[in-house]
Amino acid sequence: HGQGSVERLLDDYADFVPFLQETARQVFGRWLENALAHGGLGGSARAAGGRERRAGQLTSGSLVGRESELARIDAALAFARRGESAVLVLRGDAGIGKTALLDAAGARTRGLRVLRASGEDAAGTEHPFTALAELCRPLADGLERISPPRAEATAAILDPGSGARIRDRFAVYAGAFDLLVEAAAKTPLLILVDDAHLLDDASH
């Protein structure tokens, strides 16, 4: 490409390195989340809750004995406010207060926008992408700012009654991701997913 092209390439690459590093960190975060969820790493510092936490039951509408978990939640929220990412996985038996901890996280979101979905609501539904649509529906006004093919695919899951066909599920995932990125560029996001193991297959 002519004289000086190598220098320009190296300069462009240097500008791109921070993006590569951030992407790698996010990929590792996703891997860690799956490892915690499926790899039997219940003792990890990222896994809040567990069989030994039964003392943290709700009493009179207040969280009791959950100081450690709340501290981890506050730390994750602080990361988000600084423009960084964090993942917390809450694991434990039914009835120990995992949903209450999610509610507590949602109530501590100064400066963050909250998006929430529930696997329980999506279980048994005949519509794919139910939970993903629940998560992204508040961001529907951003569809006009993402690429038309991805916007069309994402719009199809946000309004199942429209009759629009989903030709490429990966376009749906890409469109949903674009919506989240576009929203997060304006305000840091807190994404809460309750009963993730019950998510519909397409959203999982």
Side-chain angles (χ1 to χ4, degrees):
H1 293 287
Q3 187 175 5
S5 60
V6 172
E7 289 77 12
R8 289 194 299 273
L9 174 64
L10 293 176
D11 288 341
D12 289 343
Y13 178 74
D15 292 338
F16 197 59
V17 165
F19 173 79
L20 292 176
Q21 291 173 330
E22 177 61 17
T23 301
R25 194 165 65 86
Q26 292 179 1
V27 169
F28 177 75
R30 298 293 185 271
W31 173 87
L32 180 60
E33 179 183 12
N34 285 321
L36 291 171
H38 304 294
L41 303 179
S44 169
R46 287 293 189 185
R51 296 179 183 273
E52 72 281 8
R53 301 292 189 177
R54 290 189 176 277
Q57 295 281 2
L58 291 179
T59 301
S60 302
S62 300
L63 287 171
V64 177
R66 291 296 194 181
E67 292 79 8
S68 175
E69 288 86 349
L70 291 174
R72 293 177 185 175
I73 288 171
D74 286 339
L77 297 178
F79 275 121
R81 293 188 186 101
R82 294 199 298 267
E84 303 176 28
S85 62
V87 176
L88 287 175
V89 180
L90 281 67
R91 303 179 63 192
D93 295 338
I96 66 168
K98 299 186 296 296
T99 298
L101 281 170
L102 291 182
D103 292 340
R108 303 160 90 89
T109 52
R110 175 183 51 82
L112 304 178
R113 182 176 184 179
V114 182
L115 300 174
R116 190 162 186 168
S118 173
E120 185 176 5
D121 293 340
T125 179
E126 61 182 13
H127 298 295
F129 301 106
T130 298
L132 185 61
E134 181 185 3
L135 192 70
C136 293
R137 195 163 284 116
L139 309 178
D141 59 350
L143 287 173
E144 60 186 22
R145 293 186 288 276
I146 66 177
S147 68
R150 295 181 179 185
E152 181 181 2
T154 308
I157 72 166
L158 297 182
D159 184 12
S162 67
R165 297 183 59 187
I166 301 173
R167 297 180 177 84
D168 181 0
R169 63 175 179 149
F170 295 104
V172 174
Y173 299 140
F177 181 74
D178 286 350
L179 281 181
L180 292 170
V181 170
E182 196 267 342
K186 299 176 181 177
T187 306
L189 299 177
L190 171 64
I191 298 175
L192 302 175
V193 180
D194 202 0
D195 288 324
H197 62 292
L198 296 177
L199 292 174
D200 61 279
D201 289 341
S203 296
H204 206 284

